[in-house]
């Protein structure tokens, strides 16, 4: 067998002879110097290749594969199992049927680089509870749902910030331990910036179990309730989206998907203000929000709907008409809808007529919003006091455009033109109010808000003809209803939506229904919910 050293000597001699011949040829034929460089490079390549081949022969001459590991950086990857869901029905809710359990897991896998053979990284683990309608049936010291967290070696975690660890005895006498999440919704932080380190490869697995405890007690209040959640594991801290960010994220880039339209300059007959607005039939528009209550399910009287993201703020309107309990019987209150004999043929809400309050726009018979007691007393005093400081702090101070405009510029105009005349260029003539703006938290909808809530096919209709498109307008509720816009052509009139869905004008000394509208503070976050009436969006 020829050794590497012998072969190397042979190659050296060959190279030497070739080199001598080249020198001679250069003297005789004046060959270019580049030929030398080319030949030397070729020979070096041959030597290197030959040497590499013989190095690969090891042991007793057996062939082995040589692999160059290019893993010069650490790698951190994640894996999650399916979502957890619990649903309590007659079959699994009966006595002695035992607890209901759902399980899932998440993994963090860290591999060190082959240069230093050591790696340290960090990650975050969350439980995102997107639906939870359970409640306490006994008391808050008797949890209905417990969360258990164990590592891959079955060691249990018993301390997590913001969660209370409890031990209970179920209906069969078994002990169950875990964190009480009976009424928890939204994002629950399990590990923040957890460190993982290795000198090779390491996997950290977390096994999550959610248990509905079946006690020997009356838990019928949870019959039909449901729970669903999934794990989120990632390298960076999870940024809880604001409600505005969530709404905008539902816009896919295709106008109308998820019932959202982006009103940029290319949207035909749109507002052109770069707002994101919901539009379409009520049963297909998922824009419900639970506001003013943390109860599950959300009380119907606490349901609001998102008009859109306008000027970077989420604008809401109350789903159903306000009661005198909410707005008071002072100020511009007149009577209830039953006393006013309101027609119910078109009414889409769930209230008794006696529950709906009827209010003057301004009993002083002048369409100056700054002097309206509906504005000052009922909306911006009574309403705010009723919902309480915590919820009132979520409402942004807003500059309301209260100049309105003429019938020709709003009532006889299509929504995009009405928008320009209401918002961009409101009319200040024939008004005792020098300003066309009013600073307050609570207001009412604009005519153009109502107009753009209909499907885009309606946006070529003038507002006075909107009775033709009520089936495609989620904002239509079927009662006489005030807007905030006055008729600048007459000092005693304001615009309303009538029971048939058309925009008309009436005297401000009439009394009709009211739906408070307002903008939320930009800091309000999305927590959970699909936006349907049965699963409204929950905010922080």
């Amino acid at each position: 067998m020829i050794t590497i050293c012998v072969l190397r000597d042979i190659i050296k001699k060959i190279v030497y002879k070739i080199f001598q011949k080249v020198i001679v040829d250069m003297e005789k034929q004046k060959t270019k110097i580049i030929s030398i460089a080319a030949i030397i490079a070729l020979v070096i390549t041959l030597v290197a290749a030959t040497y590499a081949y013989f190095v690969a022969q090891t042991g007793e001459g057996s062939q082995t594969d040589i692999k160059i590991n290019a893993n010069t950086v650490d790698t951190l990857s994640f894996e999650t199992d399916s979502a957890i869901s619990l649903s309590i029905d007659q079959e699994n809710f009966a006595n002695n049927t035992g607890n209901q359990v759902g399980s899932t897991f998440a993994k963090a896998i860290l591999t060190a680089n082959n240069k230093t053979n050591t790696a340290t990284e960090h990650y975050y683990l969350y439980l995102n509870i997107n639906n939870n309608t359970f409640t306490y049936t006994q008391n808050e010291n008797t949890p209905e749902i417990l969360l258990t967290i164990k590592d891959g070696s079955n060691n249990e975690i018993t301390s997590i910030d913001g969660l209370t660890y409890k031990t209970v005895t179920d209906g069969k006498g078994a002990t169950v331990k875990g964190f009480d999440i009976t009424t928890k919704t939204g994002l629950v932080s399990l590990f923040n910036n957890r460190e993982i380190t290795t000198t090779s490869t390491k996997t950290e697995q977390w096994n999550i179990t959610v248990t509905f405890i079946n006690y020997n007690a009356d838990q019928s209040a949870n019959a039909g309730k449901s729970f669903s959640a999934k794990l989120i594991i990632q390298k960076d801290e999870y940024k809880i989206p604001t409600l505005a960010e969530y709404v905008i994220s539902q816009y896919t880039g295709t106008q109308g998907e998820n019932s959202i339209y982006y009103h940029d300059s290319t949207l035909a007959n749109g507002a052109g203000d770069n707002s994101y607005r919901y539009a379409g039939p009520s049963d297909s528009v998922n824009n419900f929000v639970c506001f003013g209550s943390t109860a599950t399910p959300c009380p119907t009287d606490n349901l609001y709907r998102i008009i859109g993201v306008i000027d970077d703020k989420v604008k809401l309107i109350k789903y159903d008409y306000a009661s005198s309990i909410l707005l008071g019987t002072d100020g511009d209150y007149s009577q209830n809808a039953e006393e006013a004999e309101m027609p119910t043929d078109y009414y889409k809400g769930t209230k008794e007529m006696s529950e709906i309050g009827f209010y003057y726009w301004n009993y002083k018979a002048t369409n100056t919003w700054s002097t309206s007691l509906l504005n000052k007393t009922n909306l911006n005093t009574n309403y705010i006091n009723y919902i309480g400081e915590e919820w009132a702090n979520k409402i942004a101070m807003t500059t309301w455009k209260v100049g309105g405009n003429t019938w020709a510029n709003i009532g006889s105009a299509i929504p995009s033109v009405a928008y320009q005349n209401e918002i961009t260029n409101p009319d200040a003539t024939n008004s005792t109010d020098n300003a066309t703006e009013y600073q307050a938290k609570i207001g009412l909808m604009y005519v153009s808000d109502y107009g753009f809530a209909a499907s885009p096919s309606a946006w070529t209709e003038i507002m006075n003809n909107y009775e033709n498109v009520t089936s495609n307008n989620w904002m239509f509720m079927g009662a006489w209803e005030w807007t905030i816009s006055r008729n600048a052509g007459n000092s005693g009139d304001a615009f309303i939506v009538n029971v048939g869905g058309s925009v008309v004008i009436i005297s401000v000394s009439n009394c009709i229904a009211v739906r408070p509208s307002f903008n939320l503070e930009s800091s309000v976050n999305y927590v959970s919910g699909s936006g349907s009436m049965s699963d409204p969006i929950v905010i922080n």
Side-chain angles (χ1 to χ4, degrees), residues 80 144 156 188 301 309 371 389 440 473 499 530:
T80 56
E144 309 275 326
E156 187 173 356
V188 178
D301 209 35
V309 180
T371 66
E389 183 178 4
N473 189 330
V499 292
S530 64

Side-chain angles (χ1 to χ4, degrees), residues 403-407 409-410 421-422 425-427 485-489 495:
N405 219 300
T406 63
W407 169 255
N409 288 338
I410 294 181
N421 293 322
E422 272 186 308
N425 188 32
D427 197 329
S485 298
R486 71 185 184 91
N487 173 24
F495 288 92

Side-chain angles (χ1 to χ4, degrees), residues 374-388:
L374 169 62
N375 164 31
K376 294 191 295 183
T377 301
N378 303 109
L379 292 174
N380 284 291
T381 301
N382 296 346
Y383 175 83
I384 289 175
N385 289 338
Y386 184 86
I387 63 174

Side-chain angles (χ1 to χ4, degrees), residues 481-497:
E481 176 179 1
W482 288 118
T483 76
I484 201 170
S485 298
R486 71 185 184 91
N487 173 24
N490 186 312
S491 62
D493 294 341
F495 288 92
I496 73 164
V497 175

Side-chain angles (χ1 to χ4, degrees), residues 481-532:
E481 176 179 1
W482 288 118
T483 76
I484 201 170
S485 298
R486 71 185 184 91
N487 173 24
N490 186 312
S491 62
D493 294 341
F495 288 92
I496 73 164
V497 175
N498 68 16
V499 292
S502 294
V503 172
V504 297
I505 51 176
I506 64 171
S507 169
V508 295
S509 60
N510 279 297
C511 58
I512 59 174
V514 171
R515 278 195 287 174
S517 180
F518 49 84
N519 292 310
L520 294 176
E521 290 283 1
S522 300
S523 59
V524 170
N525 293 112
Y526 166 84
V527 174
S528 63
S530 64
S532 67

Side-chain angles (χ1 to χ4, degrees), residues 122-137:
H122 297 80
Y123 65 89
Y124 295 79
L125 179 64
Y126 304 93
L127 181 68
N128 186 27
I129 305 173
N130 52 43
N131 176 53
N132 183 9
T133 59
F134 284 88
T135 187
Y136 293 99
T137 60

Side-chain angles (χ1 to χ4, degrees), residues 44 71 82 85 96 101 218 223 249 286 346 358 414 440 482 497 537:
I44 291 173
N71 183 23
S82 57
S85 63
N96 299 318
V101 178
D218 180 10
S249 73
N286 291 329
Y346 300 102
F358 267 33
I414 63 174
W482 288 118
V497 175
I537 290 170

